[in-house]
Structure formats: C-alpha cells, structure tokens
Amino acid sequence: MGTFLFILQIILVVAFVLFGFMKFGKQMGEEFERFGYSAWCRIVTGLVELVAAVLLIAGFWNKTSLAWGALLISLTMIGAVITHLKVKDSFSKYASPLVLLIIGLIVLFSNWGSLFG
C-alpha cells in the first residue's frame, strides 16, 4: 500500500498547490461570490489549501505532518461538497472535490495513528 499512498499524496500536493493559488484569482472570486461567500473566506480557503499542501510535502518525511495535511484537506473538501450542494450545482461541479475528499480520507485514515504522535 506504500506506493499507492505515495501516489495519492502526490496527487493531493499537486491539486492543492494549484487550487490554493487559484483562490487568489478573479475566476474563483466570482465563484465564491456565487456561493455567497466573502473575499476573505476565499483567501482563507486558499491559504488553508496551501498550508495543507506544505504539510503533505513535509509528510514525505514526517507522518504527523502528512496526517494533519490530510485532515485539513478532508475538512476543506467536506466544506466544498456542502457548498456545491447548497447552491444546487450539478454533480460535475462537485465531482472533483468529492474525489479529493475520498483521496484525502484514504490518506488520513492510513496515517490516523500519526495524527497526535
């Protein structure tokens, strides 16, 4: 399972570096307005995603960092899925956050014992 989790970790790092930086752009500003969220919420979400990505990168050497990064990703993606459901988006709009949530949960539960240790 080691190689599989390593690949999932890389997928999450790439996705959250990309999505984290995207939160600072105009397109995501318009999306967050559509969701009914303020600009500060978008910025905080982007920062949380970037912090999660940094923790996942540190997780290549430190399992506690990996677990905390996966927890942040899972919580953020729960919020994303709920938001898309709230505004009645089609499944295609929240398929990516749902997949990332599942990947985040796999990484989190595979490293659960490291969360506080």
Side-chain angles (χ1 to χ4, degrees):
M1 188 122 150
T3 303
F4 177 69
L5 287 174
F6 181 77
I7 291 168
L8 293 181
Q9 188 176 349
I10 290 171
I11 290 169
L12 290 174
V13 167
V14 171
F16 280 86
V17 167
L18 177 69
F19 294 141
F21 280 116
M22 284 177 61
K23 297 297 185 293
F24 300 98
K26 182 179 179 188
Q27 179 183 4
M28 288 308 293
E30 292 168 357
E31 278 291 286
F32 269 66
E33 283 180 27
R34 185 175 72 83
F35 299 150
Y37 298 144
S38 64
W40 74 264
C41 183
R42 174 177 50 90
I43 299 301
V44 168
T45 301
L47 290 173
V48 167
E49 290 177 351
L50 291 171
V51 166
V54 168
L55 287 169
L56 288 174
I57 291 167
F60 288 116
W61 300 276
N62 181 300
K63 295 302 177 193
T64 301
S65 296
L66 177 60
W68 281 102
L71 178 63
L72 274 178
I73 283 173
S74 298
L75 293 173
T76 303
M77 290 302 94
I78 288 169
V81 170
I82 289 171
T83 295
H84 285 288
L85 291 171
K86 180 186 88 166
V87 297
K88 297 179 176 35
D89 275 340
S90 66
F91 177 74
S92 64
K93 284 278 202 174
Y94 64 89
S96 292
L98 188 59
V99 168
L100 292 170
L101 170 60
I102 292 166
I103 294 171
L105 289 172
I106 291 168
V107 173
L108 174 61
F109 289 123
S110 297
N111 294 282
W112 187 259
S114 301
L115 204 64
F116 298 103

